[in-house]
Amino acid sequence: MQIAVVGGGVCGLTCAIALMKAGADVQVYEAANKFGEIGAGIGIGPNASRLLRKLGLMDDILARGDKTHSEWFQWRSGLGGHEVLTEMSLRPGEEPFMVHRAAFLDALVKHVDHSRVHFRKRCTKVVESPTSRKITIHFADGSTALADVVLGADGIKSAVRGAVTGLDPVESITYSGTSCYRGLVPIERVKAAGIKTDFITRPICFVGPRQHLIIFGVNAGKLVNVVAFGRNPNALPDEWERGAPANPAVVTVTKEVPLREFAAWGPDVVKLLGCIDEWSQWKINVVSPPLPTWVKGRVALVGDAAHGMLPHLGAGAGQGLEDAYLLARLLTHPQTCLANIENVLRVYDEVRKPRVQRVWDDTYKMGNVVDGLGPSGLTPEGLTKDMGNPWLYVWGRGVDDDVLHAQFRLRDSGEYVSASL
Ligand SMILES: Cc1cc2nc3c(=O)[nH]c(=O)nc-3n(C[C@H](O)[C@H](O)[C@H](O)COP(=O)(O)OP(=O)(O)OC[C@H]3O[C@@H](n4cnc5c(N)ncnc54)[C@H](O)[C@@H]3O)c2cc1C
């Protein structure tokens, strides 16, 4: 079975690595001329770190000295004296970590067989032939490639998604009404600015009315990752449900822009924003409304292409990695073959969609709570009550739970003769 992965971001590469390690015939088609990530940090939850460990990737991912956290977030007031409003501890076995995105991607790239990677291949459409059973992938340079199975891991503006939904890619995404400023700053500069809050021991969230900041250390605490969120002041909390995608989604701005928006915030926030000269401003688009299915025939969607979500639980990539892991396990299962592949992909869709949708919904709730739009307000009690612990669900899933679940379904429907890992 020839498998094509379209898109070499974190989800596409993890999927390709899992497939390659299991001996599958896989080719990767990436639009850019090399693998690359933006200059920012990313948080990876224990659900994803467990599967990365299973794939033998964790040592390389943490090679720059990043460590798994032993304490989870502290939520502080963004205004006034930054008093602690609430905090969360980790339970034994939970090991989230924060890492520079480039370090994460570089570690994955090390495990890819480069002879199977094709750069400058921007997919424009995917067409399933009714006669030959092969799928044709069309690229912007006029070339094509054939495969038996196509996995669309080409991000939120996915071109492959058109083959599943029948819609133009932008018709499946909408602007959330939330924007953010993203930047990285050396820890020395943070210290020199006289900032008192410790961003390295544990991640920090400064909360306030309609705005919040997420801050954590990467590169073994040498760099501080800052994301400052704000929502369109005129938008209702659910305004984005009716929106259209923001285009362009990313622009570069100078520090005066975030400083103006957070001018009334407390001293550590204002000093921190002043430490970074150039910021990237992101208008956050999401896949909304949810796709009725991520699969059509032998084409399946993975990661943001299927379910681009708000970043408020740091869970989007983790969910995509779970998709990638399950797909790789099912596609390389000894009882999967061309005759049953469509049903196997349908089961992937049935198993993954409800879980991802719950996480997607929880990211929306969390965004409202930290922006002061939760029912109980931004008091210590209100924040603790409204937030609950959404990570119990996000992180609680065992890496092979979905695999077993899918295999039992395939056995019960007669596609597999037995369900075994
Ligand atoms: C501000 C912010 C903070 C976030 N923080 C976190 C976090 O802490 N933790 C977390 O888990 N998630 C986080 N996320 C979400 C996370 O970044 C995404 O879920 C994740 O990057 C999606 O990975 P992907 O591989 O699906 O897509 P992408 O990373 O977008 O990769 C898509 C790849 O496909 C390529 N491509 C695009 N179009 C084509 C095409 N037509 N043909 C071929 N190739 C193509 C691209 O060049 C790219 O390499 C955050 C998101 C935002 C906006």
Side-chain angles (χ1 to χ4, degrees):
M1 186 157 38
Q2 292 176 313
I3 304 168
V5 175
V6 178
V10 290
C11 300
L13 278 190
T14 303
C15 192
I17 291 166
L19 286 164
M20 285 174 192
K21 288 197 175 204
D25 176 357
V26 54
Q27 305 290 324
V28 178
Y29 299 96
E30 164 58 46
N33 57 10
K34 59 180 170 58
F35 293 122
E37 257 291 0
I38 57 160
I42 187 165
I44 300 294
N47 55 319
S49 61
R50 283 191 290 267
L51 74 83
L52 292 167
R53 215 176 271 293
K54 271 202 126 173
L55 292 173
L57 305 172
M58 275 290 271
D59 288 346
D60 285 325
I61 292 170
L62 299 179
R64 294 192 195 179
D66 291 300
K67 300 246 177 329
T68 55
H69 272 275
S70 51
E71 293 291 338
W72 196 227
F73 270 90
Q74 194 171 63
W75 288 266
R76 289 171 170 254
S77 170
L79 309 158
H82 303 308
E83 65 274 19
V84 176
L85 298 173
T86 188
E87 55 189 27
M88 212 173 269
S89 293
L90 294 169
R91 294 174 310 160
E94 289 181 338
E95 43 175 28
F97 65 91
M98 314 302 203
V99 66
H100 194 297
R101 281 175 181 258
F104 189 19
L105 199 79
D106 287 353
L108 299 183
V109 168
K110 270 192 182 177
H111 291 257
V112 175
D113 172 354
H114 288 256
S115 67
R116 306 208 226 160
V117 178
H118 312 271
F119 290 113
R120 296 183 203 86
K121 291 291 170 192
R122 176 170 294 280
C123 169
T124 50
K125 65 177 176 181
V126 166
V127 181
E128 218 168 328
S129 157
T131 48
S132 78
R133 306 281 294 165
K134 285 276 179 197
I135 305 168
T136 309
I137 310 162
H138 295 258
F139 300 105
D141 64 2
S143 63
T144 56
L146 293 176
D148 295 307
V149 178
V150 175
L151 307 179
D154 49 344
I156 186 121
K157 289 187 185 162
S158 171
V160 178
R161 193 164 54 218
V164 173
T165 61
L167 300 171
D168 186 270
V170 295
E171 286 183 60
S172 305
I173 56 176
T174 189
Y175 173 45
S176 65
T178 287
S179 303
C180 68
Y181 301 98
R182 305 171 90 172
L184 282 168
V185 53
I187 186 70
E188 286 77 26
R189 195 154 175 198
V190 173
K191 286 183 182 156
I195 293 167
K196 296 199 178 66
T197 311
D198 170 12
F199 303 123
I200 305 300
T201 310
R202 65 192 306 168
I204 298 292
C205 178
F206 285 121
V207 299
R210 288 178 170 262
Q211 288 166 299
H212 72 276
L213 293 95
I214 297 286
I215 305 152
F216 53 80
V218 294
N219 276 13
K222 292 190 205 84
L223 285 174
V224 177
N225 179 68
V226 189
V227 193
F229 292 92
R231 46 178 90 205
N232 173 355
N234 303 317
L236 299 168
D238 66 347
E239 182 73 13
W240 56 280
E241 294 285 6
R242 300 185 294 276
N247 202 6
V250 189
V251 293
T252 303
V253 297
T254 60
K255 64 181 166 191
E256 284 68 34
V257 181
L259 274 171
R260 204 163 40 236
E261 286 186 26
F262 287 83
W265 280 51
D268 280 3
V269 170
V270 173
K271 283 180 198 161
L272 186 62
L273 295 177
C275 285
I276 303 175
D277 299 321
E278 206 174 76
W279 295 79
S280 59
Q281 183 190 23
W282 291 62
K283 297 207 167 165
I284 299 170
N285 292 319
V286 291
V287 172
S288 176
L291 303 183
T293 174
W294 302 347
V295 169
K296 181 146 185 243
R298 283 169 287 125
V299 181
L301 302 175
V302 184
D304 275 14
H307 48 70
M309 62 181 74
L310 290 166
H312 303 313
L313 292 176
Q319 286 308 302
L321 297 182
E322 287 187 14
D323 301 342
Y325 183 81
L326 175 62
L327 267 175
R329 291 295 304 272
L330 292 180
L331 292 176
T332 57
H333 191 281
Q335 293 173 62
T336 296
C337 57
L338 277 176
N340 65 13
I341 188 67
E342 294 193 9
N343 289 337
V344 169
L345 291 179
R346 208 162 31 237
V347 166
Y348 157 74
D349 185 56
E350 287 167 9
V351 168
R352 290 294 305 149
K353 263 182 75 245
R355 166 158 168 79
V356 173
Q357 193 55 46
R358 175 161 167 193
V359 177
W360 195 105
D361 293 344
D362 284 350
T363 64
Y364 173 70
K365 283 187 212 142
M366 188 64 162
N368 281 346
V369 173
V370 290
D371 279 349
L373 297 165
S376 318
L378 282 178
T379 60
E381 302 72 30
L383 201 57
T384 311
K385 178 167 171 244
D386 291 349
M387 219 159 41
N389 185 349
W391 286 286
L392 282 180
Y393 178 72
V394 180
W395 295 351
R397 190 77 148 202
V399 58
D400 284 315
D401 292 356
D402 280 350
V403 181
L404 260 183
H405 185 180
Q407 287 177 356
F408 278 120
R409 275 184 180 236
L410 287 161
R411 185 202 58 187
D412 293 347
S413 65
E415 304 301 337
Y416 285 2
V417 288
S418 64
S420 59
L421 281 177

